[in-house]
Amino acid sequence: MRVLLVGEFSGVHRNLMEQLNKQGIYCDLLSDGDGWKGFNSTITIPKRQPIKGIGKLLFPVLDFLGLAGLSSYRENRNLIDNLDNYDVIQFINPQAIKAFGAIGNLCLFRKLSRKAPKIFLCALGGDLCVETFFIMRRLKYSPWSSFKINRVKYFYQNISFFFPAHAALHFYVTRQVKAIIPGLYEYRRAYENNKKCTSIIGLPINSGEYHPSISTSTHGGLVKIFYSKKPHMGDYYKKGYKYFDEALAILDEKKISYQLVTANGIPFEQYKALLADCDILLDQTLSYDKGMSGIIGMANGMITFSGNEPDIEKFYGRTIPCINAEPDAKALAIKLTHIIENYEDYNSLRISAKEYIDKYHSSDVICSKYIQVWNKE
């Protein structure tokens, strides 16, 4: 089997590619590295450069028309033309290469879909179906919970999925693929009425790369809190960082001692190294399920604050050793205070978190599930 993975989402396709190659299945990854995260790929598309000057005014118009990024697609057309002889091609999202825009991604999909008998869509990242699901408020909170009219510019990317060209891309891709594979609970719910939607296949991680360490906190030092805060204001609102900020402010008012470690817009390898020696991870508060940052935190044996609503444990049918980070600053502050003041009582949670990732998210386990879907269809 020869596989081409198209696009990147927090290392999901990179981790899957590495595991496929380990198992003797030839796999390429075509991506832009997921922007500033800088994930390696075998076939690299230059990421979209920052827009300056008059380009900032023209971009929304071009994006609405689907023309933004079309020139980038044309510049890489020869590279794409040379891709061939694959049995399976999987796109991470209808708009798999952000730099190409709507029409560029439509051209990419049409060209590549002729190069393999089996085409799949991995539902991760925003898209028309997911954003519609959030707006319908079928969950008690979502990234749209913090939306206000004066924050429109920070929700531009989410809104852009409703632009005609983006919507056309979405409908075309979802109609053409053999199956839609959701990577998280919210995506499964968003696509649950689509007959092509499979069961969730979790986010893959090479769990062997992560080794829980004994931090200074167990030797009388301060508990280290790693705050996985992204650099953009859009993320600030959509991931609910303000609740973590307010919770930490409450801890400071009460003079609770801890050491805060932050990372803003750094490459993934630096990010991974920074959090490796920390005890607690603050991920996000407006998600029901855990994203890749939460998975990494648990793989490191950290006490992880991320999405873990009771609905999640009921849906998966198992206890998940992760602290539910609800959008409630006071509740978060109470949980953090108890952990800091009774840290050693949480050692079993750290051990369980690592074991959970080994069992349910290790790349070999996840890779086998993808292969089953690819072979079934």
Side-chain angles (χ1 to χ4, degrees), residues 5 54 64 72 84 87 135 138 189 228 286 311:
L5 304 175
I54 194 170
F64 183 83
S72 180
D84 211 346
D87 302 296
I135 289 174
R138 293 175 63 189
R189 290 288 309 278
S228 178
L286 292 177
D311 288 357

Side-chain angles (χ1 to χ4, degrees), residues 195-212:
K195 294 180 180 179
K196 293 183 179 181
C197 186
T198 71
S199 299
I200 295 172
I201 297 183
L203 307 181
I205 185 171
N206 185 353
S207 56
E209 292 181 356
Y210 299 87
H211 306 284

Side-chain angles (χ1 to χ4, degrees), residues 8-40:
E8 186 56 277
F9 176 86
S10 298
V12 168
H13 266 179
R14 186 201 66 167
N15 293 343
L16 185 56
M17 175 192 70
E18 290 179 350
Q19 184 61 36
L20 285 166
N21 286 329
K22 283 181 184 178
Q23 295 181 199
I25 297 174
Y26 183 88
C27 181
D28 277 321
L29 170 58
L30 171 70
S31 87
D32 63 358
D34 200 10
W36 52 265
K37 297 174 188 176
F39 291 105
N40 296 326

Side-chain angles (χ1 to χ4, degrees), residues 220-276:
L222 296 177
V223 169
K224 292 182 180 179
I225 299 176
F226 185 89
Y227 192 178
S228 178
K229 194 172 183 178
K230 307 301 186 296
H232 309 296
M233 281 303 296
D235 286 323
Y236 182 85
Y237 293 121
K238 288 177 280 188
K239 293 183 180 292
Y241 292 142
K242 82 164 192 169
Y243 300 103
F244 283 140
D245 288 346
E246 292 171 0
L248 292 173
I250 292 172
L251 264 60
D252 293 340
E253 287 176 10
K254 294 182 177 181
K255 310 226 181 280
I256 304 294
S257 297
Y258 62 91
Q259 181 179 342
L260 187 66
V261 179
T262 60
N264 295 315
I266 61 174
F268 177 71
E269 291 303 320
Q270 289 179 246
Y271 170 89
K272 190 166 68 171
L274 264 180
L275 65 78

Side-chain angles (χ1 to χ4, degrees), residues 123 127 129-130 170 174 180 187-194 197:
D127 66 34
C129 191
V130 173
H170 176 85
T174 53
I180 300 168
Y187 297 88
R188 180 66 178 84
R189 290 288 309 278
Y191 280 95
E192 62 189 355
N193 294 323
N194 190 311
C197 186

